[in-house]
Amino acid sequence: MLIAEMIEETKQLLEMAEERLQQLRSKATELLLREEWKEAIGAYSQFITLSKDQIFQTNQQQLSDPDQLQKLRKSLCLALSNRAEARSRLREFHGALEDCDQALEIDGTHFKTLLCKGKILLSLNRYSMALDFFRAALLHPQASGSSESLNGYVEKSKKMDLLARTGALDLSDWVANGFRGKSPELAEYVGVVEIKKSEISGRGLFAAKNIDAGSLVLVTKAIALERSILAGKDLCEDAQLVMWKNFIDKVADVVRKCLRTRNLISKLSSGEDEHELEVVDISLFRPETEFQVHSSDKMEMDQMLAILDVNSLTEDSVSSNVLGRNKDYYAVGLWLLPALINHSCCPNARRLHVGDYLIVHASKDIKAGEEITFAYFDPLLPLYKRKETSMTLGIHCRCKRCKFEAEISSKQEVKEIEIGLERGMDVGGAVYKLEEEMKRWKVRGKERGYLRASLWCAYSETYRSDRSMKRWGRRIPAPDEVVDSIINVVGGDERLLKILMEQLKKNGAGLMEMEKAMKLAREVYGKVVKKQAMRTLLELCIGANE
């Protein structure tokens, strides 16, 4: 009699638990449909915990019903899949992937989970893995009702995977349409580069093979980005503080949600003990690389703030171009690999901002083993102004250009030219005087480019003034000669391209002259568009600045 009572009591408990499960499932489903993601996660978590308990208890019973057990497991699988969906909507990808894996342990062909995991992997830029799950979902009987959207995911994954492997980026259609519509979604790409100890500062990014001017170095999406509709120079101090706070909150949110990203951010410099920084393997920054991280690894707020202070970038930097609607905004963001690129007054790389993506390309030929560098501040400034800015940023540039200019800046003639320009000296006269002094000092090659770059403001103003050119034009070098020598030093620069285009417009452009301009355009904007689209890009970017 006692055994019969125990069986009856167990049945009643199971029925009560089943009723409670039904209530939780209905509540969770309703929250999911209403897109109340956080609340849905809470309801599904309760359901999952209770389901696991009931499956355990059912397994312990001698009289367990196989059909009932199968029903519980099926409900648990769906709940895990739905919680993964809700978590992915909140960009809690780590937890979402764990839910998908648990669901697939129960049913390795569960359609909704295969689709959900594919979407998550695509969001994490793991294109080839995402493709595998979308293809698996296509084989499921349920795929017939959504084959069109699934085929779309398959094609997108294939396209992104190809871009990620080859770097074959082409923005021609978007540029030719005048940047209309949304910014194109790009694929993360890491070229043949490596991280090594740098003579400039701590670690740096180095070319592992020769890179031609204009060629892609890497493409990466911002970890976090904050934009303001006002131009940067018009932002008041309070607005800048609000932007910075919002940016910090976004990074902190990512750090909390994604263990992998937290781990990678923690490997960036905080500005201290640069010589002791770990030289990490470049593969860690490739999205498809999997490595073990632990939830116990914490990042203190002070550490995160120090890292952001050193590594965050603004879109409107002197070494960058901004395409599309981004031009209407001022933005600060964190991009991981570009944060490892050091400064040089003779940079060999530039940035191109498209949507939330940052594209790094070579602005001049880079040899294998050479460090890839940006200009953190304007390289077309005199040495003393560059030194003032570098002190503000806490940088001590020891490049060949700075060393050469430090030696020659002590000459009285250089001081006279600099003082004269500050006092309103005729710019054409200043250019003529510098050119004559360089002849007398027997300055040749790159060293001539160094000094011309430092006095670019005077050269530019002279070439743009009909009056100055009428007086000095025959006694100073032609614009294309000066532009060539400066490009050899600082690489492609939009201001140099603008002068060249103005001269071509004024004097007429032959085939050779136009090809020269296109070559410089590829160094400025990178090889991201075809020739005809590059002409459109020149009109949009150069013309807009006139």
Side-chain angles (χ1 to χ4, degrees):
M1 191 68 182
L2 185 59
I3 294 175
E5 289 177 357
M6 289 176 63
I7 292 173
E8 185 60 31
E9 185 179 348
T10 300
K11 284 183 178 179
Q12 289 176 2
L13 288 172
L14 288 173
E15 287 173 1
M16 289 172 62
E18 188 175 345
E19 185 178 345
R20 173 62 176 152
L21 281 173
Q22 182 60 41
Q23 291 172 351
L24 279 172
R25 180 166 50 204
S26 298
K27 178 183 176 183
T29 302
E30 182 183 346
L31 290 168
L32 190 72
L33 292 172
R34 281 160 43 184
E35 298 186 358
E36 295 179 20
W37 311 120
K38 190 174 181 180
E39 292 75 10
I41 291 169
Y44 276 118
S45 295
Q46 291 181 56
F47 180 89
I48 289 165
T49 300
L50 191 56
S51 290
K52 287 180 177 179
D53 287 345
Q54 190 166 357
I55 288 171
F56 176 77
Q57 290 175 19
T58 303
N59 276 325
Q60 299 302 305
Q61 301 299 319
Q62 295 291 331
L63 302 175
S64 61
D65 182 352
D67 291 337
Q68 176 66 16
L69 191 59
Q70 181 61 24
K71 184 180 176 182
L72 283 170
R73 288 171 62 81
K74 188 176 179 180
S75 295
L76 176 58
C77 180
L78 182 59
L80 286 164
S81 184
N82 285 339
R83 188 171 71 174
E85 171 72 19
R87 281 177 162 173
S88 69
R89 295 302 186 101
L90 295 178
R91 303 192 68 78
E92 295 177 0
F93 295 129
H94 181 76
L97 285 176
E98 287 185 341
D99 282 345
C100 287
D101 290 340
Q102 286 187 57
L104 292 173
E105 282 181 13
I106 298 170
D107 179 359
T109 62
H110 191 251
F111 176 75
K112 189 170 185 179
T113 306
L114 291 172
L115 183 58
C116 182
K117 187 166 183 180
K119 289 179 181 179
I120 294 168
L121 291 169
L122 190 58
S123 297
L124 293 172
N125 307 311
R126 300 179 192 175
Y127 313 114
S128 61
M129 293 175 67
L131 183 58
D132 290 340
F133 282 92
F134 289 136
R135 281 174 169 163
L138 267 176
L139 299 175
H140 198 281
Q142 282 183 249
S144 57
S146 55
S147 59
E148 186 176 344
S149 61
L150 250 178
N151 280 319
Y153 282 121
V154 167
E155 290 306 311
K156 181 178 179 179
S157 299
K158 286 165 67 175
K159 177 185 175 183
M160 293 298 186
D161 185 46
L162 179 64
L163 288 175
R165 287 187 288 105
T166 65
L169 180 61
D170 186 0
L171 302 176
S172 297
D173 290 344
W174 183 57
V175 170
N177 288 326
F179 307 135
R180 283 190 288 273
K182 289 175 63 177
S183 300
E185 188 171 6
L186 309 180
E188 296 253 344
Y189 166 75
V190 180
V192 187
V193 291
E194 56 189 342
I195 302 167
K196 293 167 38 177
K197 283 286 186 182
S198 168
E199 292 182 2
I200 297 174
S201 177
R203 306 161 302 184
L205 204 62
F206 289 76
K209 70 171 187 178
N210 292 343
I211 304 175
D212 296 333
S215 296
L216 281 190
V217 175
L218 61 92
V219 180
T220 185
K221 192 174 184 180
I223 295 301
L225 192 65
E226 176 67 13
R227 286 195 173 99
S228 168
I229 198 167
L230 296 173
K233 60 180 178 297
D234 297 325
L235 283 177
C236 65
E237 187 175 345
D238 287 346
Q240 290 181 38
L241 288 173
V242 169
M243 272 194 75
W244 184 247
K245 181 185 180 302
N246 292 341
F247 173 56
I248 291 170
D249 289 345
K250 287 181 177 181
V251 177
D253 187 50
V254 173
V255 164
R256 178 180 61 81
K257 291 176 178 176
C258 183
L259 300 179
R260 176 193 171 92
T261 304
R262 179 200 306 168
N263 181 276
L264 291 174
I265 292 175
S266 70
K267 295 184 183 302
L268 299 180
S269 169
S270 60
E272 297 181 0
D273 300 322
E274 292 280 337
H275 61 286
E276 295 180 3
L277 288 172
E278 176 191 4
V279 179
V280 295
D281 194 292
I282 192 75
S283 64
L284 291 182
F285 293 89
R286 298 182 190 275
E288 69 274 13
T289 302
E290 299 213 31
F291 54 89
Q292 196 68 35
V293 290
H294 304 283
S295 58
S296 58
D297 297 335
K298 302 294 184 184
M299 181 184 291
E300 299 298 331
M301 180 58 76
D302 288 348
Q303 181 192 4
M304 190 184 79
L305 291 175
I307 288 171
L308 292 182
D309 188 47
V310 172
N311 298 283
S312 57
L313 301 171
T314 56
E315 285 187 335
D316 66 344
S317 164
V318 68
S319 60
S320 66
N321 294 105
V322 184
L323 300 186
R325 294 181 180 178
N326 293 28
K327 274 187 173 289
D328 300 328
Y329 297 86
Y330 173 75
V332 59
L334 177 66
W335 293 267
L336 291 175
L337 265 181
L340 296 175
I341 299 178
N342 282 313
H343 163 81
S344 174
C345 292
C346 298
N348 55 24
R350 288 183 64 82
R351 298 169 8 211
L352 194 66
H353 290 271
V354 175
D356 292 348
Y357 288 85
L358 186 154
I359 302 166
V360 179
H361 69 270
S363 59
K364 55 186 179 184
D365 293 343
I366 304 175
K367 294 180 181 179
E370 185 179 348
E371 182 167 3
I372 296 164
T373 55
F374 285 145
Y376 286 10
F377 44 85
D378 194 351
L380 300 183
L381 286 177
L383 177 66
Y384 74 95
K385 288 189 176 181
R386 300 202 309 275
K387 277 190 171 180
E388 288 174 3
T389 308
S390 64
M391 287 178 65
T392 303
L393 297 175
I395 297 170
H396 179 52
C397 186
R398 296 184 292 271
C399 69
K400 291 180 179 178
R401 177 185 173 189
C402 285
K403 289 177 181 177
F404 169 75
E405 288 189 62
E407 294 173 1
I408 210 163
S409 63
S410 60
K411 291 183 179 291
Q412 185 62 32
E413 295 86 348
V414 174
K415 293 178 181 177
E416 288 175 1
I417 293 172
E418 290 176 348
I419 293 171
L421 285 170
E422 287 184 354
R423 293 179 178 176
M425 176 184 180
D426 178 55
V427 287
V431 168
Y432 174 74
K433 183 174 177 60
L434 178 64
E435 290 291 334
E436 290 300 303
E437 294 299 344
M438 285 195 292
K439 290 177 187 176
R440 190 166 65 84
W441 298 331
K442 296 182 179 178
V443 172
R444 301 273 193 280
K446 280 194 173 182
E447 293 177 347
R448 181 168 290 189
Y450 294 158
L451 295 179
R452 285 172 172 171
S454 292
L455 216 64
W456 170 248
C457 187
Y459 281 93
S460 174
E461 194 174 333
T462 300
Y463 292 139
R464 284 182 164 168
S465 168
D466 291 337
R467 182 178 177 184
S468 289
M469 287 302 287
K470 187 175 181 181
R471 180 178 180 186
W472 300 102
R474 293 186 178 182
R475 292 189 280 175
I476 62 175
D480 60 339
E481 179 187 333
V482 171
V483 165
D484 281 348
S485 66
I486 296 177
I487 290 170
N488 195 35
V489 171
V490 302
D493 187 286
E494 201 171 38
R495 291 162 293 180
L496 302 174
L497 178 58
K498 188 172 182 180
I499 285 291
L500 193 60
M501 293 299 293
E502 287 174 354
Q503 293 299 311
L504 292 179
K505 190 175 180 180
K506 186 184 295 184
N507 303 325
L511 185 61
M512 287 182 63
E513 288 79 12
M514 197 60 211
E515 191 55 44
K516 185 176 182 179
M518 293 297 284
K519 180 178 181 294
L520 178 53
R522 286 190 288 271
E523 294 171 3
V524 173
Y525 300 110
K527 297 177 183 177
V528 296
V529 294
K530 294 173 183 174
K531 185 172 285 189
Q532 188 55 48
M534 181 62 83
R535 294 176 187 271
T536 304
L537 185 58
L538 289 174
E539 292 172 5
L540 291 168
C541 296
I542 301 295
N545 294 330
E546 291 180 353

